[in-house]
């Protein structure tokens, strides 16, 4: 019984390595597509005002909540939310055109 359990552990270890094998070509293609998408989004962000760029930058980094961003810029949290939605809409519109 003990030998059987040991063999099963060995077999399980062998199978876990097979799950980690992936097709490198799809990873490269996905990486390239993600890189191109990020470039398009960044190009769109550069077209926006500096204020919009900073607000979305703070928001995307995750270090500031909308309420915190509002207090830094001394505006209402509702306006921050509106500006973030504007940026998202601009990016979506730019990507739909391309």
């Amino acid at each position: 019984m003990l030998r059987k359990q040991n063999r099963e552990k060995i077999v399980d270890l062998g199978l876990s390595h097979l799950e980690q094998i992936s097709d490198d070509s799809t990873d490269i293609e996905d990486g390239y597509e993600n890189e191109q998408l990020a470039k398009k989004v960044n190009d769109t962000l550069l077209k926006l005002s500096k204020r919009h760029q900073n607000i979305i930058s703070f928001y995307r980094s995750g270090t500031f909540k909308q309420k915190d961003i509002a207090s830094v810029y001394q505006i209402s949290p509702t306006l921050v939310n509106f500006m973030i939605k504007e940026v998202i809409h601009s990016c979506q519109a730019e990507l739909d055109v391309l």
Side-chain angles (χ1 to χ4, degrees):
M1 182 75 168
L2 184 61
R3 286 184 3 189
K4 182 178 178 183
Q5 289 175 347
N6 285 338
R7 277 188 304 201
E8 289 175 356
K9 286 180 184 177
I10 292 172
V11 170
D12 286 342
L13 289 176
L15 291 177
S16 67
H17 294 295
L18 293 177
E19 293 171 356
Q20 296 176 357
I21 296 175
S22 65
D23 184 11
D24 288 338
S25 64
T26 57
D27 291 341
I28 292 171
E29 290 171 0
D30 290 342
Y32 179 76
E33 288 176 7
N34 289 337
E35 189 178 301
Q36 293 299 315
L37 180 63
K39 184 180 182 311
K40 290 176 187 174
V41 169
N42 286 333
D43 289 345
T44 303
L45 292 177
L46 290 174
K47 295 177 185 176
L48 301 172
S49 71
K50 199 67 168 170
R51 186 177 186 188
H52 279 77
Q53 289 177 21
N54 290 339
I55 287 175
I56 199 66
S57 163
F58 287 142
Y59 185 70
R60 284 177 63 191
S61 70
T63 54
F64 291 99
K65 296 179 181 177
Q66 291 182 16
K67 186 177 179 180
D68 299 331
I69 297 169
S71 66
V72 167
Y73 279 96
Q74 298 177 347
I75 56 177
S76 71
T78 304
L79 182 57
V80 170
N81 188 349
F82 180 73
M83 293 174 81
I84 291 170
K85 287 182 180 184
E86 278 184 330
V87 170
I88 292 170
H89 183 268
S90 297
C91 289
Q92 288 174 338
E94 188 75 23
L95 292 174
D96 285 343
V97 169
L98 300 175

